[in-house]
Amino acid sequence: MTMIKKFTTTIFAIGLCVSAFAQEQVDMAAVQKIRTEGLDKSQVMDIAFQITDVAGPRLSNSPGLKRAQDWAVKQFNEWGLKNVHLEAWGTFGKGWQVDKYYAATTIPFYKPIIASPKAWTPSTNGPIKSEVVLVKADSVPQLAQYKGKLQGKIIIFDNSSNRALENSYKPDVVRYTEEELDKLSKEVPATPGARPANNPAMAAMMKMRAARAEMSKMIQAENPGLILTYARGSYGTFFTSNGASYALDAAPVSPELEMSSEDFLHILRLLKAGQKVEMEAEIKTSFFDKDPQGYNVIAEIPGTDKKLKDEVVMLGGHYDSWHAGTGATDNAAGSAVMMEAMRILKSIGFKPKRTIRIALWSSEEQGLYGSRGYVAKHFGDPKTMTLTPDQKKVSAYYNLDNGTGAIRGIYLQGNAGVGPIFQEWLKPFNDIEAKTVTISNTGGTDHLAFNAVGIPGFQFIQDPMDYNTRTHHSNMDTYDRLVAQDLKRSATIVAAFVYHTSERAAQLPRVELPKANPAGR
């Protein structure tokens, strides 16, 4: 684990002249103000508390997301930001939430079950109590033997995807080592036009998904009372998913409970040994379809320079989450950091040359819909590369969406021209271990929407922590997993990047405009 160096005023004072003679100017007086506000007077954990513990799970179009959005609008207005509003990006579909969940085995003994209803699945028909029926099938033909035997029953599948648990001998929580960061910094740009090699595992997974979809139709026709599903994870942590479509005209599905692997395998072992298992459960879920529009939260610090105020620096993160936890590391952490960066800049009395605009995106988890909808509306269509005049006015978009881990550097997304600039901007933060610049790309989140229409979009390098092992999309993604020092440092670094982007004489360099992509990605 990388040792974290404690920040001191003395260390920072030594570094005040680091960039004095560098080609890319760094405003060290402004950085000092940003550091003092961000590291000594931080409100980032208070912001995160409101997003997680108070608002709760923030599944797309759910009441929890609406609570969080309304709070953000109120908070931005209290900070004195301008043009604060909820902005529709397009049609999403139905919202959904869990109103009640209870499940336990009663035979061979009473045991509460760690689980959650799958997203967008319906309620049970009141409280149900049933012997658990073992369904052993990996294909549609194998399901035929159960026809007429499953109505109203609680069923569990025995198939090839159910795997025995194995102990892990690796730590859950990790930070980048100096060697790993050095390797990142030495990566070379990807070959233009290169295509990924054929992936047999991916092809097999897609084939399995198609078979499962057909099996689900057959199961639905049997009208079971509740389906038990094996969830990835261990030690009481399970990683959740959606069990049905959120479309307004989605076909009906059966109630489905996604279980911790330990509880699922316990029931499975008993049934395979010929032991009777009885279970009781009650699930109540609600759907929300009165307003199927999806919304982003938008707010600004207006630009003040006569020539540059119409140009924009954007920052953001996705605000929606999954439902089994409270979406702390995915992505209340990133949202809180970006909100705190805006608070820092406002608190120090910064009057930017360019307008600074924050966006808290919705429906990232279903396909980056919030950011893609916003970009298509304001900047251009990646399917045709028909661009708006405002596309040229955005200097950069900065995103954060990789958990609670501190920023250690930044991905250039193949944009070599910004490398030397970012190196200089990171120098005042080398003492808090942020110094790595890598030419490589990272994907899976909202900066991609901007890259797709030729706007420089960047995601920061963050310490992995327990994001992939314990919190990402899991029932353990709660406020307790947030690391205050890491979030404070990240917000401070983001604020400094946004400050320098807004004050720079020229916009950040751009790469060659992407070609039209009919897939829209």
Side-chain angles (χ1 to χ4, degrees), residues 212-228:
R212 292 281 162 81
E214 288 301 311
M215 292 172 67
S216 293
K217 290 180 183 178
M218 290 186 67
I219 290 291
Q220 174 62 25
E222 294 297 305
N223 196 25
L226 178 62
I227 299 172
L228 306 180

Side-chain angles (χ1 to χ4, degrees), residues 123-155:
S123 307
T124 56
N125 187 20
I128 62 172
K129 193 168 188 175
S130 164
E131 198 171 327
V132 182
V133 177
L134 180 64
V135 176
K136 186 174 178 61
D138 271 308
S139 65
V140 170
Q142 291 174 350
L143 265 180
Q145 61 184 302
Y146 300 99
K147 188 174 179 62
K149 300 177 181 178
L150 304 178
Q151 184 171 353
K153 300 292 186 182
I154 297 176
I155 65 173

Side-chain angles (χ1 to χ4, degrees), residues 384-414:
T384 62
M385 288 310 293
T386 302
L387 306 177
T388 72
D390 285 343
Q391 186 267 359
K392 294 181 179 179
K393 297 179 181 179
V394 184
S395 183
Y397 169 73
Y398 298 106
N399 195 76
L400 203 68
D401 182 23
N402 286 149
T404 190
I407 288 175
R408 306 295 300 279
I410 194 166
Y411 296 95
L412 299 183
Q413 299 297 125

Side-chain angles (χ1 to χ4, degrees), residues 121 132 138 203 250 270 476:
T121 57
V132 182
D138 271 308
L270 288 168
M476 297 297 174

Side-chain angles (χ1 to χ4, degrees), residues 6 33 61-62 101 141 149 172 208 230 266 285 339-340 400 453 458 462 465 494:
K6 185 177 180 181
K33 291 179 181 179
N61 276 24
S62 70
Y101 153 68
K149 300 177 181 178
D172 270 1
M208 181 187 73
Y230 182 99
H266 170 227
T285 62
M339 290 183 72
E340 170 70 358
L400 203 68
V453 295
F458 305 100
Q462 295 175 257
M465 309 301 281
V494 170

